[in-house]
């Protein structure tokens, strides 16, 4: 039965049924890209349910134009990023602070949180799912952190979840934005189970079925159903010499090694890297390396520093429309010419003096917008 815990918000459907708090992202025309209102709504729902005795677990899914599932979340609303940055709107600053707080809530949530990652799962969608206690993908899942393609870096806690991928695969995923299809995510530790998309509705319903027992019993039933799936084979791209290349000290070393290796995967990977923002490739590699030795709270504070510098790159006298990130969004989503003018234009032209200030916080520890985050 439904509960007074139900909350109705913009682009979010939330209900409480027999102990399960269910959330459906409902902005299918934008592939459920996260708006400021959705960030606020999700935070409100999860905070309310944290102490609600009628909620024993939370499940989250996306929707497409035909109904539930089919798409999870394409990330943050980059058109909003572009518009707000060009206008000097401080709502952009508020967005990232609120989003990273939401990521922290999810990662530290005291109740089981189950993410049904069907369809597209990118950027902010990873932030809504990687902290889940159970992460389910399907054969339709298309997962990536492609931020270097828009002059940004993999955020929403990627310094934690990518750096913990096996070997140097986290560096590879962060720099290239490699797309993970279905079970690929299991091979690098970014999902726990794969389900048939046609079974998702049954899996979702079982979590709210009191006939199966209490929430722990329902979760046990669900996991037994999921383990019936066949073992996933290692994707072809993961069989390449990723560790031998992407564990090297610098982006320049990585690209030099790829150039030496010749045709096939090395040449294809090198071409991908040459299309990305050279500056943000260097920043991203440093982010993943630092994140590997951080806790969640310090990583989110670092990422909040980084994103501030991305839109207000004062040490390079660039901000707003002249920033790397706004230029990348322009080329991909606004003008759609797919020809960003990166500055500097090549990987070799990026200097340590350009990269290091990204890791200097614009705030004192006490004034940091995420200063109060605790484990």
């Amino acid at each position: 039965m439904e509960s007074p815990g139900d909350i109705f918000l913009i682009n979010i459907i939330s209900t409480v049924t027999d102990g399960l708090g269910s959330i459906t992202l409902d902005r299918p025309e934008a592939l459920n890209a996260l708006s400021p209102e959705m960030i606020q709504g999700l935070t409100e729902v999860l905070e309310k349910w944290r102490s609600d005795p009628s909620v024993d677990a939370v499940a989250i899914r996306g929707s497409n134009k035909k109904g539930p599932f089919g798409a999870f979340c394409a990330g943050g609303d980059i058109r909003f990023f572009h518009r707000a940055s060009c206008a000097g709107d401080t709502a952009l600053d508020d967005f990232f602070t609120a989003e990273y707080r939401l990521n922290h809530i999810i990662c530290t949530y005291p109740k089981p949180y189950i993410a049904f990652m069907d369809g597209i799962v990118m950027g902010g969608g990873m932030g809504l799912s990687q902290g889940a206690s159970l992460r389910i993908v399907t054969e339709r899942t298309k997962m990536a952190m492609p931020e270097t393609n828009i002059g940004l870096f993999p955020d929403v806690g990627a310094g934690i979840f990518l750096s913990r991928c096996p070997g140097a695969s986290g560096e590879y995923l962060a720099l290239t934005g490699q797309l993970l299809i279905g079970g690929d995510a299991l091979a690098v530790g970014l999902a726990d189970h794969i389900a048939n998309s046609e079974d998702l509705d049954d899996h979702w319903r079982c979590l709210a079925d009191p006939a199966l027992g209490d929430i722990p019993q329902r979760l046990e039933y669900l996991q037994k159903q999921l383990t019936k799936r066949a073992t996933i084979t290692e994707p072809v791209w993961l069989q390449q010499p990723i560790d031998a290349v992407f564990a090297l000290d610098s982006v320049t070393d990585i690209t030099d090694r790829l150039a030496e290796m010749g045709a096939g995967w090395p040449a294809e990977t090198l071409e991908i890297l040459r299309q990305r923002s050279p500056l943000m490739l260097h920043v991203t590699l440093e982010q993943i390396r630092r994140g590997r030795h951080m806790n969640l709270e310090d990583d989110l504070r670092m990422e909040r520093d980084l994103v501030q510098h991305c839109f207000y790159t004062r040490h390079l006298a660039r901000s707003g429309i002249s920033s790397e990130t706004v230029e990348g969004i322009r080329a991909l989503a606004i003008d759609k010419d797919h020809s960003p003018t990166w500055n500097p234009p090549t990987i070799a032209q990026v200097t340590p003096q350009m990269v290091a200030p990204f890791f200097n916080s614009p705030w004192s520890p006490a004034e940091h917008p995420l200063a109060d985050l605790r484990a």
Side-chain angles (χ1 to χ4, degrees):
M1 60 178 291
E2 293 188 352
S3 157
D6 297 351
I7 306 172
F8 302 96
L9 297 156
I10 297 173
N11 299 129
I12 297 169
I13 300 170
S14 63
T15 60
V16 178
T17 307
D18 291 303
L20 179 72
S22 63
I23 297 170
T24 302
L25 305 177
D26 189 34
R27 195 187 179 198
E29 72 283 356
L31 294 173
N32 301 314
L34 296 171
S35 65
E37 294 79 14
M38 291 172 73
I39 296 289
Q40 179 182 353
L42 288 166
T43 300
E44 180 181 335
V45 169
L46 290 174
E47 289 287 37
K48 184 179 189 302
W49 286 350
R50 180 193 293 270
S51 57
D52 187 339
S54 71
V55 178
D56 297 315
V58 174
I60 186 169
R61 64 183 175 182
S63 61
N64 63 24
K65 294 179 181 179
K66 297 180 181 179
F69 305 114
F72 184 69
C73 175
D77 187 339
I78 61 175
R79 288 177 177 80
F80 161 72
F81 298 169
H82 186 275
R83 184 171 62 253
S85 183
C86 290
D89 188 346
T90 57
L92 182 65
D93 304 357
D94 297 337
F95 176 94
F96 286 108
T97 297
E99 184 180 28
Y100 297 174
R101 284 188 176 280
L102 175 60
N103 301 149
H104 187 263
I105 289 169
I106 291 168
C107 289
T108 60
Y109 210 61
K111 300 177 180 181
Y113 177 98
I114 304 96
F116 286 75
M117 299 184 287
D118 186 37
I120 192 166
V121 187
M122 295 186 184
M126 294 286 273
L128 297 183
S129 56
Q130 284 305 312
S133 47
L134 182 60
R135 301 164 299 171
I136 302 166
V137 294
T138 76
E139 79 283 357
R140 301 188 301 199
T141 299
K142 295 181 178 180
M143 177 186 291
M145 291 298 288
E147 285 76 9
T148 58
N149 196 37
I150 58 165
L152 195 59
F153 65 96
D155 63 340
V156 297
I160 295 293
F161 62 76
L162 287 185
S163 70
R164 271 63 172 178
C165 291
S169 61
E171 282 94 331
Y172 172 75
L173 294 172
L175 295 178
T176 65
Q178 169 72 45
L179 185 66
L180 311 182
I181 305 294
D184 291 3
L186 277 74
V188 290
L190 296 176
D192 302 303
H193 290 285
I194 185 166
N196 287 318
S197 57
E198 62 187 21
D199 296 332
L200 285 178
D201 194 57
D202 289 341
H203 294 326
W204 181 266
R205 290 177 184 275
C206 85
L207 288 171
D209 185 355
L212 296 173
D214 57 17
I215 286 292
Q217 290 171 314
R218 296 176 217 169
L219 283 169
E220 182 180 1
Y221 174 84
L222 173 60
Q223 296 218 46
K224 286 181 178 177
Q225 297 303 306
L226 293 171
T227 54
K228 294 178 181 178
R229 287 281 294 173
T231 302
I232 302 304
T233 57
E234 188 176 63
V236 172
W237 59 264
L238 196 55
Q239 299 170 23
Q240 305 300 324
I242 288 175
D243 290 355
V245 176
F246 283 82
L248 294 173
D249 290 342
S250 70
V251 177
T252 302
D253 289 342
I254 290 169
T255 53
D256 285 350
R257 177 66 60 83
L258 289 169
E260 293 168 359
M261 293 169 70
W265 176 82
E268 293 166 2
T269 304
L270 181 59
E271 180 59 25
I272 289 170
L273 293 177
R274 285 173 172 167
Q275 295 170 13
R276 305 302 191 236
S277 162
L279 176 60
M280 296 315 299
L281 287 177
H282 285 264
V283 171
T284 294
L285 183 62
E286 179 68 14
Q287 170 214 359
I288 299 301
R289 299 273 167 84
R290 291 188 182 215
R292 186 165 283 130
H293 305 288
M294 286 182 167
N295 61 30
L296 173 66
E297 292 73 28
D298 287 340
D299 175 73
L300 288 172
R301 282 187 277 265
M302 174 182 70
E303 293 181 8
R304 185 63 188 86
D305 296 341
L306 290 174
V307 81
Q308 191 77 4
H309 289 305
C310 283
F311 288 98
Y312 308 96
T313 321
R314 294 192 171 94
H315 68 281
L316 298 177
R318 299 166 61 188
S319 65
I321 198 168
S322 67
S323 70
E324 198 81 341
T325 306
V326 171
E327 169 60 12
I329 295 172
R330 177 207 64 75
L332 178 72
I334 307 302
D335 296 339
K336 300 181 180 179
D337 57 30
H338 299 278
S339 298
T341 302
W342 299 130
N343 182 11
T346 68
I347 290 169
Q349 289 175 291
V350 179
T351 68
Q353 292 74 26
M354 294 175 182
V355 175
F358 277 88
F359 295 89
N360 297 331
S361 181
W363 304 282
S364 69
E367 294 171 334
H368 197 285
L370 300 178
D372 60 328
L373 293 187
R374 296 292 182 271

